[in-house]
Amino acid sequence: LLLALNCGFSISEIGTLDWTMIHGDYIKRIRPKTKVYGEFLMWDITKEALGEPKKKGLVFTTENGVGLLEPTKTNQRGAKIPNTWYRLLNRIKKLEKIEKVEQGFKRLGFHHLRKTSGNLMRQFSDGETMAVHLCHGKPVKTDALAGLYSNPVFPRVFEAQRRVYDYLADIFTPLKEVELPRKVSPATIRQIRSMKKNGIKTSKIAEVLGVNVQIVRRYAKSPSIKTANRPKQPK
């Protein structure tokens, strides 16, 4: 969410973001779609959310170290980012029903965050700065040669990004106050399965181990053993 609003990144930019592209407070990279170079000032909260920087490698991976855009077994593009986004929208819709508030929240795709970023950049600057921010192929539409004979004015982009953050700052919760998801250790997984095998209720296991109920349900079942390729035992 932060990268989409802060830098106007879409799914492809987030999924291909590498630590080598991060230089202190800035991200410097080429947009995969347009092959246009861009520079972005990271907000403090964005930089904090990324965590401790590394020398190289993808910034976002699964628990198994696989990229978020890695193709599925059926050779379809990885959809971990949009799937997570739609789960968030489902939670919002559910909250609307529980609190019985007016259901006016639009269910839009993740790429609309990029559009929101562009709209805010234009609001606090101008159309050319917005186009440079979004790495469009022709930031100056009225002059096709402008991009060939001059460089993008990135300081103007950085200043607009600061203004956008000032406008949005009130909606962000400090990360220190946010309970981030914790990685479940193998020892905890073994405890979950052992307690479940002994007939202990899911809610009790979650309480004792200090984990979410969904985590217990996820790891309660022992992994199935594949026997398809196992050699037959002699009689």
Side-chain angles (χ1 to χ4, degrees):
L1 296 177
L2 286 169
L3 285 172
L5 292 172
N6 184 172
C7 306
F9 283 1
S10 62
I11 293 173
S12 60
E13 280 87 45
I14 296 173
T16 57
L17 183 63
D18 195 278
W19 286 109
T20 57
M21 302 172 183
I22 298 178
H23 305 265
D25 295 334
Y26 299 88
I27 296 177
K28 302 179 180 181
R29 64 164 307 160
I30 294 175
R31 188 186 176 205
K33 182 178 180 179
T34 59
K35 308 302 179 186
V36 172
Y37 175 76
E39 293 185 8
F40 313 88
L41 170 68
M42 286 190 292
W43 301 330
D44 289 340
I45 191 171
T46 304
K47 188 177 178 181
E48 184 182 356
L50 291 180
E52 193 69 24
K54 301 177 182 178
K55 291 184 178 180
K56 61 180 180 179
L58 291 174
V59 175
F60 299 104
T61 61
T62 64
E63 294 181 356
N64 297 326
V66 179
L68 301 184
L69 303 182
E70 191 73 15
T72 63
K73 294 181 179 179
T74 57
N75 205 30
Q76 299 294 322
R77 182 185 181 185
K80 292 181 175 59
I81 295 176
N83 287 346
T84 304
W85 168 250
Y86 286 121
R87 284 199 295 271
L88 174 60
L89 297 188
N90 292 338
R91 288 170 55 192
I92 294 173
K93 284 294 183 182
K94 185 177 181 180
L95 188 62
E96 284 183 333
K97 293 181 180 179
I98 294 175
E99 298 189 356
K100 297 181 180 180
V101 297
E102 183 180 354
Q103 298 184 13
F105 190 87
K106 293 183 179 180
R107 188 179 177 85
L108 301 174
F110 184 83
H111 65 283
H112 281 80
L113 287 176
R114 170 178 165 83
K115 294 183 177 181
T116 300
S117 176
N119 184 63
L120 290 173
M121 289 292 288
R122 186 171 188 175
Q123 179 181 336
F124 290 99
S125 186
D126 52 56
E128 180 181 340
T129 303
M130 176 202 72
V132 173
H133 172 70
L134 296 178
C135 293
H136 285 173
K138 297 179 180 179
V140 186
K141 297 185 181 300
T142 57
D143 187 354
L145 299 178
L148 298 176
Y149 293 103
S150 62
N151 295 322
V153 187
F154 290 121
R156 192 182 300 167
V157 174
F158 305 152
E159 181 58 32
Q161 285 182 294
R162 293 187 182 96
R163 294 174 183 172
V164 171
Y165 177 75
D166 290 339
Y167 176 74
L168 298 175
D170 291 341
I171 71 171
F172 294 126
T173 302
L175 293 183
K176 295 179 181 179
E177 301 177 14
V178 177
E179 185 178 350
L180 298 175
R182 294 174 294 176
K183 186 176 180 180
V184 182
S185 66
T188 301
I189 295 175
R190 286 194 293 269
Q191 283 183 293
I192 291 174
R193 289 172 180 166
S194 176
M195 295 172 74
K196 193 65 178 177
K197 188 177 181 180
N198 291 328
I200 301 176
K201 293 183 177 180
T202 300
S203 58
K204 187 63 178 178
I205 297 175
E207 180 184 347
V208 172
L209 299 181
V211 297
N212 194 288
V213 172
Q214 281 72 24
I215 293 293
V216 176
R217 290 172 179 166
R218 177 181 178 184
Y219 293 106
K221 296 181 180 179
S222 299
S224 59
I225 302 176
K226 296 182 179 180
T227 59
N229 298 323
R230 181 181 296 178
K232 294 182 179 180
Q233 296 294 331
K235 294 182 180 180

